Amino acid sequence: MAIRYPNGKLYMPKKEAETKKRKDYSFSNRGKTLEDEISDANEYYLTHEIAVIYKKPIPIQVVKVDYPSRSSAVIKEAYYRTPSTTDFNGVFEGKYIDFEAKETENRTAFPLKNVHLHQVEHMSKVVKQLGISFLLVRFSTVDRYFYLPFDQLQRFWNRMIAGGRKSIALAEFEEHAIEIMPKYAPRIDYLKIVNDLHA
């Protein structure tokens, strides 16, 4: 199936070998990506009636479909209708939550090219409406997780726009973000931080 971006550029998925290499981070968490871990946490929150948070669907427009048999259909070509905003949204104790999840294999910094302008603009609009927006980042090589509030992300973004550094150093995460220590259930309990910051 061919999927295209709004500008018409063809989407090229990562090769299977790269995907396998990327997902194999540690023995205790083999095969899990940050989005998988967040989805597991969201399922835990939902089951225990703590919050209702879901991964947003990707907005695509199907253009070409083949019907090899009466009971099946195969999408052959599709386009992204609009740029997607953030990965997850929902509600927690009456508070609207909207956030992006990113991973990097870089040991010392998170490249800001991994975040897009339309995502920063969307998160800014959420905060202006008194919603809670943040970035969850996993440094996969060292297996460290951070909760970066939007106001801090915006500060680093503005620094880049002004011609400064194009990444956020791990040391800056240690100073300006909140580290999430993995535990048993849920492994990535990001709502504990939301609760502590916005109680």
Side-chain angles (χ1 to χ4, degrees):
M1 166 180 76
I3 298 180
R4 297 182 182 276
Y5 289 100
N7 65 3
K9 185 177 176 184
L10 186 64
Y11 167 74
M12 299 298 291
K14 292 185 177 172
K15 295 175 185 170
E16 189 175 330
E18 290 175 2
T19 305
K20 283 184 180 175
K21 178 187 171 198
R22 182 177 176 171
K23 287 186 178 181
D24 191 17
Y25 295 127
S26 70
F27 182 77
S28 62
N29 196 32
R30 187 158 294 169
K32 287 280 189 184
T33 65
L34 178 58
E35 284 193 8
D36 292 334
E37 291 175 316
I38 293 168
S39 292
D40 290 347
N42 291 344
E43 185 63 33
Y44 176 90
Y45 296 144
L46 186 63
T47 302
H48 291 83
E49 298 182 352
I50 296 169
V52 180
I53 300 172
Y54 292 103
K55 178 155 176 49
K56 295 179 188 177
I58 297 171
I60 64 166
Q61 175 70 45
V62 176
V63 177
K64 183 178 178 186
V65 181
D66 283 352
Y67 297 93
S69 68
R70 296 184 82 187
S71 62
S72 65
V74 178
I75 297 173
K76 291 292 188 182
E77 187 175 350
Y79 293 87
Y80 288 106
R81 280 195 314 241
T82 57
S84 60
T85 53
T86 49
D87 290 329
F88 296 90
N89 72 334
V91 64
F92 167 60
E93 295 185 349
K95 302 173 188 87
Y96 177 71
I97 309 285
D98 195 301
F99 65 96
E100 179 69 12
K102 298 289 186 185
E103 293 187 71
T104 181
E105 292 182 356
N106 190 313
R107 291 175 176 269
T108 59
F110 171 75
L112 281 166
K113 68 180 181 181
N114 292 348
V115 181
H116 305 289
L117 175 61
H118 67 270
Q119 292 175 320
V120 173
E121 289 172 345
H122 171 78
M123 294 167 84
S124 177
K125 290 174 185 174
V126 168
V127 170
K128 283 179 184 169
Q129 293 298 320
L130 305 181
I132 299 168
S133 197
F134 52 91
L135 185 67
L136 290 183
V137 175
R138 179 181 187 211
F139 286 82
S140 59
T141 309
V142 293
D143 201 31
R144 293 182 71 184
Y145 301 79
F146 291 92
Y147 175 111
L148 185 68
F150 176 71
D151 63 331
Q152 295 298 328
L153 171 62
Q154 190 168 44
R155 190 168 70 83
F156 293 121
W157 184 267
N158 290 342
R159 177 179 72 182
M160 176 186 72
I161 298 301
R165 185 181 175 130
K166 293 182 173 139
S167 64
I168 306 171
L170 178 57
E172 291 175 313
F173 272 94
E174 292 169 341
E175 184 178 351
H176 300 288
I178 300 161
E179 187 162 4
I180 302 172
M181 305 308 293
K183 58 181 199 168
Y184 177 66
R187 178 172 161 80
I188 307 302
D189 189 7
Y190 64 88
L191 284 185
K192 180 183 184 313
I193 297 170
V194 172
N195 191 57
D196 292 345
L197 292 178
H198 302 278

